[in-house]
Structures are given as structure tokens and as C-alpha cells.
Amino acid sequence: MNRRVVVTGFGVIAPNGIGKEEFWRNCCEGNAAVSRIPEQWRSYSEYTSTLWAPLPEIRYEDYSISRIEKMQQGDTTLLLLAATHQALTDAGLARTLVDRKKNIYAVEALDPLRSGVFIGTGIGGISSLIESQSYHTFTPVKERLTELSEVAGASAQQQEQRKKSITSIAELLIRPFRFNPFAVSIIMPNACSSVPGIKYGLKGPNQTLTSACASGTIAVGNAFKAIQRGTADCVLTGGIENLYDPFGGLYRGFDQTKALVSNCDDPSTANRPFDTDRSGFLFSQGGAAMLVLEEENHAKDRGAEIIAEITGFAESFDAHNIMMMEEGGEAIVRMISDALDDASLPASEIDYINAHATGTRLNDEIEAGIIERIFGAKPRVNSTKSLIGHTLGASGAIEAIVTALSCKDDTTHICKNLRNPVRDLNFVTEAGHCEINHALSQSFAFGGHNAALVMKKYGI
């Protein structure tokens, strides 16, 4: 069995936009998201990089998320639920409320036993773990400091100085208002696929895939394969990442590796994938991207609008280094070749490549060399990370959405801030009409994971 798989809906929350229309419009207009890191993070450390791409404020009540759900879930799954709501709406899949107390819905037109969820994430709900652990650790410390500040026996001036010093220490002990009683269920990585499956009663295959920055691509690829081989007829799939914590610890971890942008004098030009003057990747607060995939006839029978078709998927592993790509790129070359074979497509037919393109010196050089080696200078190449920074586990799913929309609209966004390309490739420096029939979206990850999706314009 080798069934055709189509994309019928999207939901996306990214630093440069919430929802498909806003996100895609800002991409096509080259609108990037970049600002200085939160000032409170500077209380804990000095950083080499001082920039990031924060998410816009999100009104969760706009996405059928109740007050109780906001208390029971962490920001990671809340982002995912909001993107899922968008994707179902975009796909024209109506929902019926079946349990008002639990806020559980049934999705009309779907057989729940033939519908599943595949989600990719790099770190899952670790941000919620940090918050609950900080409450657990800092509460008694803060109480003791407060008691100490009130000890008598010193002069008024000494007491005032003591109180001032202790208060300054206590102010560093940021903690949430409670230890979340749902902490265990929030921090489970598999909560990422379980929560939307429970909310919408989808009882088919349900998987969370964690392969660092390739997680989103691998999740979409596995969802594609599940429908192609007949395991499911409809799958909600995508990627999620929430990289904010009150102390900037996650940011510091990447800053310590010297992987982040370091030329921060002009924030608007610091993020420069594929440019000879690149200095590292722009850390993103994260994001969520959800796609509705369906077997072709399943989508047609319910009258769904088909946005694009997925035709190939492959993954490979470097077995080389936990943080560095293999310089020869042989595992990536093999992976791309396998993806094209899966799609029964020669490399010469690829019109557009959404590259991984982080902006780090080694990765961009290796990736550009592989593209030149396999595809030459024909396909248009860009980096969505040049607009929204690196969303890690969500990036592959966000870039799959960009790739599908590029095929549908015959256009794609620019590679922001690219002035002096590392190679003589067909980089997109001006947005405009261009025929895109077949496209490739590829992701690479810490650990050595590589993955790619092949998509095409539907109906050709």
C-alpha cells in the first residue's frame, strides 16, 4: 500500500506572527523578529550574545482553551493546543463539545480510531520543570532570608544595610506562585502528543519524537508514512518548543557553546544565515506548528481544500559528534538521496529548498556545499531562521509549512540579511513570483540526526 498524502490545514505560532495568514504575510514581506534579551536574565550572568526572537503575546482563550486547562498545562502544551485549534479550523474540521467540564471535543468527519497525532520536540516541558523546581528550592531560602533581615541587635544603619543586601539576594529568587500539582504530567515529553489527542478524542497512533532540531521534520515524516502505509487516514502533526525560563538558563546553555549570534551592535542585521559575516544562530523563544495531513481521497470526500502534497521523506544519522556536523556531510547526502528516491524524483526537478541554515559558521558551510554538490545552482534556497531565529524542535514543522505555502503560492520569502553568500547558489534575496512544483525542506540536529521532506504543488 502506498497511498497519496496531502496537507489540508495549518496552525502556527512563531516570533513573527500568530496564525497562517499573519505568519505567511510577514514572511513574504521579510519581517523578522529580533530584540534584546530580557533584562532580568542579566542578573544571573553575562552573555556573549544579547539577542533573541521572542514570541508575541498569545490569547489562549481565543483557541478554546479554558481557564482550568491553563492551570493544568504548561506553556509548551498550551502553545501546541493553540496551534492545533488553528490547524483544525484551517482544514475545515468542525468540532463538537462532548464534555463541557473537561473541555473535550469530537472532530466531525474524522474516524477517531483512524486519526492520530505525531509531535516533535527538543526539550518538551522542561520550562515547567524549571519553574516548579525553582518554587520548590527557593521558597524556604526566601523565607529564611526574610527572617534574617528582621534580626535585632544591630544599629539602625547596620540593620538597614543588612536588609538591603538580603533583599537584593531575595529578589534573585524568582519563583512562580505555586508548585504546579500537574508538574509530572506537564514535563513528560509524550504529553506533547497526548494532550491534543485527549482534547480531540483521536485514538489512532500517537507519538512524540525527540531528535533535537530535526524533531519537527521527523514527526511530519513519520505522520506522512503512517498515512501512506494505511495506519491512519488523518494525522495532526508538527513541532513544539518553549525555550523561555525566568533565569535565562536555557539561553545561557547555548550561549556557552558560542553557537549564538555575537555581532549584536545592530540587532536587525545580526542574524545572517549563509552570509560570510554570519556569527551564529538567533535564539528563539520557540513556537508551535501543526499540520493536518490526510489520505488524498479522505480529504476529497469531505471537500477539503488541498494545500500541497507530501511525496517523500528520509532520515539518517551521522554517528560522528554530539554537537558538530560531519564535515564531509556523507550522512546528509545519503539522506537527501533517499528522500528523493522515496518521492521518485530526480534532484534536477527540485525548484526550491528550505534549508536548515542556522547561521553558524560550520553548519552553513557544509550545508551550502551539499546543496551545490547535489542540486547545483538551480533551486531557490532560503532560510526561515533568518526571519524567526532557531525554534529548535519546532523549526522543521514551521519550515514544512513555509515549503507547502511556497509550492501553493509560487513564491517564497527572502533569506534575510544575506549580502555576501558563502556559495554561488540561487539564494532568495528578493521575494517575487517563481514557479515551484517540487520542493525540499531539510533539518539537522545536535546528536547527528538528519531529515528531509519532499513536497509538491498539488495537482501537477
Side-chain angles (χ1 to χ4, degrees), residues 427-449:
F427 291 113
V428 185
T429 54
E430 291 185 8
H433 177 82
C434 55
E435 186 173 1
I436 300 175
N437 291 325
H438 300 278
L440 181 84
S441 179
Q442 58 190 17
S443 300
F444 318 127
F446 276 6
H449 309 273

Side-chain angles (χ1 to χ4, degrees), residues 198-217:
I198 293 169
K199 185 173 180 73
Y200 295 106
L202 307 178
K203 301 178 179 178
N206 188 297
Q207 295 182 8
T208 299
L209 300 109
T210 56
S211 298
C213 306
S215 298
T217 302

Side-chain angles (χ1 to χ4, degrees), residues 355-405:
H356 186 61
T358 58
T360 57
R361 300 207 69 79
L362 181 63
N363 290 17
D364 279 16
E365 184 63 42
I366 294 172
E367 183 172 19
I370 291 171
I371 291 172
E372 185 177 61
R373 177 176 163 187
I374 298 176
F375 299 98
K378 178 210 166 190
R380 295 166 71 85
V381 179
N382 69 358
S383 164
T384 300
K385 296 180 184 71
S386 72
L387 300 174
I388 65 172
H390 197 348
T391 58
L392 305 189
S395 62
I398 293 173
E399 289 155 12
I401 288 176
V402 169
T403 304
L405 290 172

Side-chain angles (χ1 to χ4, degrees), residues 76-89:
T76 301
T77 43
L78 289 175
L79 282 168
L80 190 64
L81 286 176
T84 302
H85 181 279
Q86 291 177 14
L88 290 168
T89 302

